[in-house]
PDB file of all heavy atoms in Angstrom:
ATOM      1  N   SER T   1     -11.313 -58.385 -66.899  1.00 58.00           N
ATOM      2  CA  SER T   1     -12.247 -59.163 -66.115  1.00 58.00           C
ATOM      3  C   SER T   1     -11.578 -59.705 -64.870  1.00 58.00           C
ATOM      4  O   SER T   1     -10.352 -59.708 -64.743  1.00 58.00           O
ATOM      5  CB  SER T   1     -12.781 -60.323 -66.962  1.00 58.00           C
ATOM      6  OG  SER T   1     -11.744 -61.245 -67.251  1.00 58.00           O
ATOM      7  N   ARG T   2     -12.440 -60.206 -63.946  1.00 62.00           N
ATOM      8  CA  ARG T   2     -11.896 -60.774 -62.722  1.00 62.00           C
ATOM      9  C   ARG T   2     -11.016 -61.982 -63.005  1.00 62.00           C
ATOM     10  O   ARG T   2      -9.975 -62.171 -62.381  1.00 62.00           O
ATOM     11  CB  ARG T   2     -13.037 -61.169 -61.787  1.00 62.00           C
ATOM     12  CG  ARG T   2     -13.733 -59.986 -61.133  1.00 62.00           C
ATOM     13  CD  ARG T   2     -14.706 -60.472 -60.068  1.00 62.00           C
ATOM     14  NE  ARG T   2     -15.316 -59.356 -59.365  1.00 62.00           N
ATOM     15  CZ  ARG T   2     -16.173 -59.498 -58.353  1.00 62.00           C
ATOM     16  NH1 ARG T   2     -16.498 -60.722 -57.945  1.00 62.00           N
ATOM     17  NH2 ARG T   2     -16.692 -58.445 -57.764  1.00 62.00           N
ATOM     18  N   ILE T   3     -11.446 -62.806 -63.973  1.00 76.00           N
ATOM     19  CA  ILE T   3     -10.654 -63.988 -64.314  1.00 76.00           C
ATOM     20  C   ILE T   3      -9.316 -63.567 -64.904  1.00 76.00           C
ATOM     21  O   ILE T   3      -8.265 -64.116 -64.566  1.00 76.00           O
ATOM     22  CB  ILE T   3     -11.433 -64.886 -65.305  1.00 76.00           C
ATOM     23  CG1 ILE T   3     -12.681 -65.456 -64.630  1.00 76.00           C
ATOM     24  CG2 ILE T   3     -10.539 -66.008 -65.816  1.00 76.00           C
ATOM     25  CD1 ILE T   3     -13.542 -66.299 -65.544  1.00 76.00           C
ATOM     26  N   GLY T   4      -9.342 -62.578 -65.783  1.00 68.00           N
ATOM     27  CA  GLY T   4      -8.105 -62.087 -66.376  1.00 68.00           C
ATOM     28  C   GLY T   4      -7.168 -61.503 -65.337  1.00 68.00           C
ATOM     29  O   GLY T   4      -5.958 -61.723 -65.376  1.00 68.00           O
ATOM     30  N   THR T   5      -7.739 -60.742 -64.394  1.00 63.00           N
ATOM     31  CA  THR T   5      -6.932 -60.169 -63.322  1.00 63.00           C
ATOM     32  C   THR T   5      -6.313 -61.252 -62.465  1.00 63.00           C
ATOM     33  O   THR T   5      -5.131 -61.189 -62.096  1.00 63.00           O
ATOM     34  CB  THR T   5      -7.796 -59.247 -62.447  1.00 63.00           C
ATOM     35  OG1 THR T   5      -8.344 -58.204 -63.262  1.00 63.00           O
ATOM     36  CG2 THR T   5      -6.970 -58.624 -61.339  1.00 63.00           C
ATOM     37  N   PHE T   6      -7.111 -62.285 -62.155  1.00 67.00           N
ATOM     38  CA  PHE T   6      -6.601 -63.396 -61.344  1.00 67.00           C
ATOM     39  C   PHE T   6      -5.470 -64.122 -62.060  1.00 67.00           C
ATOM     40  O   PHE T   6      -4.420 -64.400 -61.477  1.00 67.00           O
ATOM     41  CB  PHE T   6      -7.740 -64.366 -61.033  1.00 67.00           C
ATOM     42  CG  PHE T   6      -7.297 -65.615 -60.326  1.00 67.00           C
ATOM     43  CD1 PHE T   6      -7.034 -65.602 -58.964  1.00 67.00           C
ATOM     44  CD2 PHE T   6      -7.123 -66.800 -61.029  1.00 67.00           C
ATOM     45  CE1 PHE T   6      -6.614 -66.754 -58.307  1.00 67.00           C
ATOM     46  CE2 PHE T   6      -6.710 -67.954 -60.375  1.00 67.00           C
ATOM     47  CZ  PHE T   6      -6.449 -67.926 -59.014  1.00 67.00           C
ATOM     48  N   LEU T   7      -5.674 -64.439 -63.343  1.00 75.00           N
ATOM     49  CA  LEU T   7      -4.648 -65.153 -64.101  1.00 75.00           C
ATOM     50  C   LEU T   7      -3.380 -64.321 -64.230  1.00 75.00           C
ATOM     51  O   LEU T   7      -2.259 -64.851 -64.143  1.00 75.00           O
ATOM     52  CB  LEU T   7      -5.182 -65.525 -65.484  1.00 75.00           C
ATOM     53  CG  LEU T   7      -6.308 -66.566 -65.517  1.00 75.00           C
ATOM     54  CD1 LEU T   7      -6.803 -66.773 -66.941  1.00 75.00           C
ATOM     55  CD2 LEU T   7      -5.827 -67.888 -64.917  1.00 75.00           C
ATOM     56  N   ASP T   8      -3.549 -63.012 -64.421  1.00 73.00           N
ATOM     57  CA  ASP T   8      -2.377 -62.145 -64.537  1.00 73.00           C
ATOM     58  C   ASP T   8      -1.597 -62.107 -63.230  1.00 73.00           C
ATOM     59  O   ASP T   8      -0.363 -62.146 -63.231  1.00 73.00           O
ATOM     60  CB  ASP T   8      -2.828 -60.727 -64.927  1.00 73.00           C
ATOM     61  CG  ASP T   8      -1.652 -59.808 -65.193  1.00 73.00           C
ATOM     62  OD1 ASP T   8      -0.834 -60.129 -66.075  1.00 73.00           O
ATOM     63  OD2 ASP T   8      -1.536 -58.775 -64.493  1.00 73.00           O
ATOM     64  N   SER T   9      -2.306 -62.065 -62.100  1.00 68.00           N
ATOM     65  CA  SER T   9      -1.626 -62.057 -60.807  1.00 68.00           C
ATOM     66  C   SER T   9      -0.905 -63.371 -60.555  1.00 68.00           C
ATOM     67  O   SER T   9       0.181 -63.411 -59.981  1.00 68.00           O
ATOM     68  CB  SER T   9      -2.626 -61.777 -59.680  1.00 68.00           C
ATOM     69  OG  SER T   9      -3.531 -62.862 -59.524  1.00 68.00           O
ATOM     70  N   ARG T  10      -1.517 -64.505 -61.002  1.00 75.00           N
ATOM     71  CA  ARG T  10      -0.846 -65.809 -60.837  1.00 75.00           C
ATOM     72  C   ARG T  10       0.408 -65.889 -61.685  1.00 75.00           C
ATOM     73  O   ARG T  10       1.430 -66.435 -61.248  1.00 75.00           O
ATOM     74  CB  ARG T  10      -1.797 -66.938 -61.232  1.00 75.00           C
ATOM     75  CG  ARG T  10      -3.048 -67.083 -60.402  1.00 75.00           C
ATOM     76  CD  ARG T  10      -2.751 -67.217 -58.922  1.00 75.00           C
ATOM     77  NE  ARG T  10      -2.818 -65.943 -58.229  1.00 75.00           N
ATOM     78  CZ  ARG T  10      -2.638 -65.787 -56.942  1.00 75.00           C
ATOM     79  NH1 ARG T  10      -2.375 -66.840 -56.175  1.00 75.00           N
ATOM     80  NH2 ARG T  10      -2.718 -64.593 -56.378  1.00 75.00           N
ATOM     81  N   ARG T  11       0.346 -65.356 -62.912  1.00 78.00           N
ATOM     82  CA  ARG T  11       1.530 -65.370 -63.777  1.00 78.00           C
ATOM     83  C   ARG T  11       2.657 -64.560 -63.167  1.00 78.00           C
ATOM     84  O   ARG T  11       3.823 -64.985 -63.176  1.00 78.00           O
ATOM     85  CB  ARG T  11       1.171 -64.831 -65.165  1.00 78.00           C
ATOM     86  CG  ARG T  11       0.434 -65.816 -66.052  1.00 78.00           C
ATOM     87  CD  ARG T  11       0.416 -65.326 -67.493  1.00 78.00           C
ATOM     88  NE  ARG T  11      -0.334 -64.076 -67.615  1.00 78.00           N
ATOM     89  CZ  ARG T  11      -1.624 -64.020 -67.910  1.00 78.00           C
ATOM     90  NH1 ARG T  11      -2.297 -65.148 -68.089  1.00 78.00           N
ATOM     91  NH2 ARG T  11      -2.229 -62.857 -68.020  1.00 78.00           N
ATOM     92  N   ARG T  12       2.321 -63.385 -62.638  1.00 71.00           N
ATOM     93  CA  ARG T  12       3.355 -62.550 -62.014  1.00 71.00           C
ATOM     94  C   ARG T  12       3.944 -63.250 -60.801  1.00 71.00           C
ATOM     95  O   ARG T  12       5.164 -63.197 -60.573  1.00 71.00           O
ATOM     96  CB  ARG T  12       2.771 -61.192 -61.602  1.00 71.00           C
ATOM     97  CG  ARG T  12       2.458 -60.274 -62.753  1.00 71.00           C
ATOM     98  CD  ARG T  12       2.326 -58.832 -62.259  1.00 71.00           C
ATOM     99  NE  ARG T  12       1.344 -58.712 -61.203  1.00 71.00           N
ATOM    100  CZ  ARG T  12       0.054 -58.450 -61.404  1.00 71.00           C
ATOM    101  NH1 ARG T  12      -0.392 -58.300 -62.649  1.00 71.00           N
ATOM    102  NH2 ARG T  12      -0.781 -58.342 -60.400  1.00 71.00           N
ATOM    103  N   ARG T  13       3.097 -63.908 -60.033  1.00 71.00           N
ATOM    104  CA  ARG T  13       3.585 -64.589 -58.840  1.00 71.00           C
ATOM    105  C   ARG T  13       4.526 -65.732 -59.194  1.00 71.00           C
ATOM    106  O   ARG T  13       5.575 -65.903 -58.568  1.00 71.00           O
ATOM    107  CB  ARG T  13       2.394 -65.119 -58.043  1.00 71.00           C
ATOM    108  CG  ARG T  13       2.768 -65.707 -56.695  1.00 71.00           C
ATOM    109  CD  ARG T  13       1.535 -65.987 -55.871  1.00 71.00           C
ATOM    110  NE  ARG T  13       1.878 -66.420 -54.523  1.00 71.00           N
ATOM    111  CZ  ARG T  13       0.993 -66.651 -53.572  1.00 71.00           C
ATOM    112  NH1 ARG T  13      -0.285 -66.459 -53.815  1.00 71.00           N
ATOM    113  NH2 ARG T  13       1.380 -67.041 -52.381  1.00 71.00           N
ATOM    114  N   LEU T  14       4.169 -66.515 -60.218  1.00 75.00           N
ATOM    115  CA  LEU T  14       5.033 -67.609 -60.650  1.00 75.00           C
ATOM    116  C   LEU T  14       6.342 -67.075 -61.227  1.00 75.00           C
ATOM    117  O   LEU T  14       7.413 -67.648 -60.997  1.00 75.00           O
ATOM    118  CB  LEU T  14       4.305 -68.464 -61.692  1.00 75.00           C
ATOM    119  CG  LEU T  14       3.135 -69.301 -61.165  1.00 75.00           C
ATOM    120  CD1 LEU T  14       2.431 -70.006 -62.318  1.00 75.00           C
ATOM    121  CD2 LEU T  14       3.637 -70.328 -60.146  1.00 75.00           C
ATOM    122  N   ARG T  15       6.268 -65.991 -61.974  1.00 73.00           N
ATOM    123  CA  ARG T  15       7.483 -65.404 -62.551  1.00 73.00           C
ATOM    124  C   ARG T  15       8.424 -64.923 -61.456  1.00 73.00           C
ATOM    125  O   ARG T  15       9.631 -65.178 -61.501  1.00 73.00           O
ATOM    126  CB  ARG T  15       7.093 -64.230 -63.456  1.00 73.00           C
ATOM    127  CG  ARG T  15       8.275 -63.518 -64.115  1.00 73.00           C
ATOM    128  CD  ARG T  15       7.816 -62.181 -64.662  1.00 73.00           C
ATOM    129  NE  ARG T  15       7.328 -61.311 -63.603  1.00 73.00           N
ATOM    130  CZ  ARG T  15       6.485 -60.301 -63.799  1.00 73.00           C
ATOM    131  NH1 ARG T  15       5.996 -60.050 -65.001  1.00 73.00           N
ATOM    132  NH2 ARG T  15       6.110 -59.543 -62.782  1.00 73.00           N
ATOM    133  N   ASP T  16       7.875 -64.260 -60.449  1.00 67.00           N
ATOM    134  CA  ASP T  16       8.714 -63.736 -59.374  1.00 67.00           C
ATOM    135  C   ASP T  16       9.323 -64.848 -58.530  1.00 67.00           C
ATOM    136  O   ASP T  16      10.415 -64.692 -57.967  1.00 67.00           O
ATOM    137  CB  ASP T  16       7.891 -62.797 -58.473  1.00 67.00           C
ATOM    138  CG  ASP T  16       7.436 -61.542 -59.204  1.00 67.00           C
ATOM    139  OD1 ASP T  16       8.042 -61.215 -60.235  1.00 67.00           O
ATOM    140  OD2 ASP T  16       6.473 -60.909 -58.749  1.00 67.00           O
ATOM    141  N   ALA T  17       8.598 -65.976 -58.425  1.00 70.00           N
ATOM    142  CA  ALA T  17       9.073 -67.066 -57.571  1.00 70.00           C
ATOM    143  C   ALA T  17       9.917 -68.084 -58.318  1.00 70.00           C
ATOM    144  O   ALA T  17      10.437 -69.021 -57.699  1.00 70.00           O
ATOM    145  CB  ALA T  17       7.880 -67.775 -56.920  1.00 70.00           C
ATOM    146  N   ALA T  18      10.087 -67.924 -59.632  1.00 75.00           N
ATOM    147  CA  ALA T  18      10.775 -68.940 -60.430  1.00 75.00           C
ATOM    148  C   ALA T  18      12.194 -69.194 -59.937  1.00 75.00           C
ATOM    149  O   ALA T  18      12.606 -70.344 -59.734  1.00 75.00           O
ATOM    150  CB  ALA T  18      10.780 -68.529 -61.904  1.00 75.00           C
ATOM    151  N   LEU T  19      12.972 -68.126 -59.734  1.00 74.00           N
ATOM    152  CA  LEU T  19      14.368 -68.304 -59.302  1.00 74.00           C
ATOM    153  C   LEU T  19      14.459 -68.898 -57.896  1.00 74.00           C
ATOM    154  O   LEU T  19      15.227 -69.852 -57.687  1.00 74.00           O
ATOM    155  CB  LEU T  19      15.112 -66.967 -59.374  1.00 74.00           C
ATOM    156  CG  LEU T  19      16.583 -67.012 -58.933  1.00 74.00           C
ATOM    157  CD1 LEU T  19      17.368 -68.006 -59.785  1.00 74.00           C
ATOM    158  CD2 LEU T  19      17.208 -65.616 -59.023  1.00 74.00           C
ATOM    159  N   PRO T  20      13.723 -68.380 -56.896  1.00 77.00           N
ATOM    160  CA  PRO T  20      13.789 -69.014 -55.571  1.00 77.00           C
ATOM    161  C   PRO T  20      13.371 -70.472 -55.578  1.00 77.00           C
ATOM    162  O   PRO T  20      13.964 -71.292 -54.867  1.00 77.00           O
ATOM    163  CB  PRO T  20      12.820 -68.160 -54.724  1.00 77.00           C
ATOM    164  CG  PRO T  20      12.786 -66.840 -55.401  1.00 77.00           C
ATOM    165  CD  PRO T  20      12.912 -67.141 -56.860  1.00 77.00           C
ATOM    166  N   VAL T  21      12.368 -70.824 -56.379  1.00 81.00           N
ATOM    167  CA  VAL T  21      11.936 -72.220 -56.446  1.00 81.00           C
ATOM    168  C   VAL T  21      13.041 -73.088 -57.038  1.00 81.00           C
ATOM    169  O   VAL T  21      13.318 -74.192 -56.554  1.00 81.00           O
ATOM    170  CB  VAL T  21      10.639 -72.342 -57.272  1.00 81.00           C
ATOM    171  CG1 VAL T  21      10.353 -73.791 -57.623  1.00 81.00           C
ATOM    172  CG2 VAL T  21       9.464 -71.747 -56.499  1.00 81.00           C
ATOM    173  N   LEU T  22      13.688 -72.599 -58.092  1.00 83.00           N
ATOM    174  CA  LEU T  22      14.791 -73.340 -58.701  1.00 83.00           C
ATOM    175  C   LEU T  22      15.933 -73.516 -57.711  1.00 83.00           C
ATOM    176  O   LEU T  22      16.516 -74.609 -57.598  1.00 83.00           O
ATOM    177  CB  LEU T  22      15.275 -72.612 -59.956  1.00 83.00           C
ATOM    178  CG  LEU T  22      16.459 -73.260 -60.690  1.00 83.00           C
ATOM    179  CD1 LEU T  22      16.077 -74.641 -61.199  1.00 83.00           C
ATOM    180  CD2 LEU T  22      16.921 -72.365 -61.842  1.00 83.00           C
ATOM    181  N   GLN T  23      16.259 -72.463 -56.983  1.00 83.00           N
ATOM    182  CA  GLN T  23      17.313 -72.556 -55.976  1.00 83.00           C
ATOM    183  C   GLN T  23      16.965 -73.587 -54.910  1.00 83.00           C
ATOM    184  O   GLN T  23      17.817 -74.381 -54.494  1.00 83.00           O
ATOM    185  CB  GLN T  23      17.534 -71.190 -55.322  1.00 83.00           C
ATOM    186  CG  GLN T  23      18.176 -70.165 -56.235  1.00 83.00           C
ATOM    187  CD  GLN T  23      18.275 -68.791 -55.590  1.00 83.00           C
ATOM    188  OE1 GLN T  23      17.672 -68.544 -54.544  1.00 83.00           O
ATOM    189  NE2 GLN T  23      19.020 -67.893 -56.205  1.00 83.00           N
ATOM    190  N   CYS T  24      15.727 -73.594 -54.460  1.00 84.00           N
ATOM    191  CA  CYS T  24      15.288 -74.537 -53.435  1.00 84.00           C
ATOM    192  C   CYS T  24      15.408 -75.971 -53.933  1.00 84.00           C
ATOM    193  O   CYS T  24      15.901 -76.861 -53.222  1.00 84.00           O
ATOM    194  CB  CYS T  24      13.849 -74.217 -53.026  1.00 84.00           C
ATOM    195  SG  CYS T  24      13.182 -75.295 -51.740  1.00 84.00           S
ATOM    196  N   ALA T  25      14.973 -76.208 -55.169  1.00 89.00           N
ATOM    197  CA  ALA T  25      15.014 -77.557 -55.715  1.00 89.00           C
ATOM    198  C   ALA T  25      16.449 -78.058 -55.860  1.00 89.00           C
ATOM    199  O   ALA T  25      16.775 -79.196 -55.479  1.00 89.00           O
ATOM    200  CB  ALA T  25      14.303 -77.582 -57.071  1.00 89.00           C
ATOM    201  N   LEU T  26      17.321 -77.225 -56.417  1.00 89.00           N
ATOM    202  CA  LEU T  26      18.715 -77.633 -56.611  1.00 89.00           C
ATOM    203  C   LEU T  26      19.430 -77.821 -55.275  1.00 89.00           C
ATOM    204  O   LEU T  26      20.240 -78.743 -55.114  1.00 89.00           O
ATOM    205  CB  LEU T  26      19.448 -76.598 -57.470  1.00 89.00           C
ATOM    206  CG  LEU T  26      18.968 -76.477 -58.927  1.00 89.00           C
ATOM    207  CD1 LEU T  26      19.729 -75.371 -59.649  1.00 89.00           C
ATOM    208  CD2 LEU T  26      19.135 -77.795 -59.668  1.00 89.00           C
ATOM    209  N   ALA T  27      19.144 -76.930 -54.318  1.00 90.00           N
ATOM    210  CA  ALA T  27      19.789 -77.043 -53.005  1.00 90.00           C
ATOM    211  C   ALA T  27      19.362 -78.314 -52.288  1.00 90.00           C
ATOM    212  O   ALA T  27      20.172 -78.954 -51.602  1.00 90.00           O
ATOM    213  CB  ALA T  27      19.461 -75.820 -52.151  1.00 90.00           C
ATOM    214  N   ALA T  28      18.091 -78.706 -52.429  1.00 91.00           N
ATOM    215  CA  ALA T  28      17.623 -79.943 -51.799  1.00 91.00           C
ATOM    216  C   ALA T  28      18.369 -81.153 -52.360  1.00 91.00           C
ATOM    217  O   ALA T  28      18.794 -82.047 -51.616  1.00 91.00           O
ATOM    218  CB  ALA T  28      16.120 -80.099 -52.013  1.00 91.00           C
TER     219      ALA T  28
END
């Protein structure tokens, strides 16, 4: 479904951004 596709894309986006976000937080 569209909702499932949207949620799956959000999960992938958060997973891919997890390390850069952690690096940004620690560096700050």
Side-chain angles (χ1 to χ4, degrees):
S1 67
R2 287 188 176 182
I3 294 177
T5 301
F6 174 79
L7 292 176
D8 186 58
S9 68
R10 297 305 95 178
R11 282 194 296 267
R12 288 198 305 269
R13 187 170 186 176
L14 290 175
R15 180 195 62 203
D16 294 340
L19 179 59
V21 167
L22 179 63
Q23 290 175 348
C24 181
L26 294 177

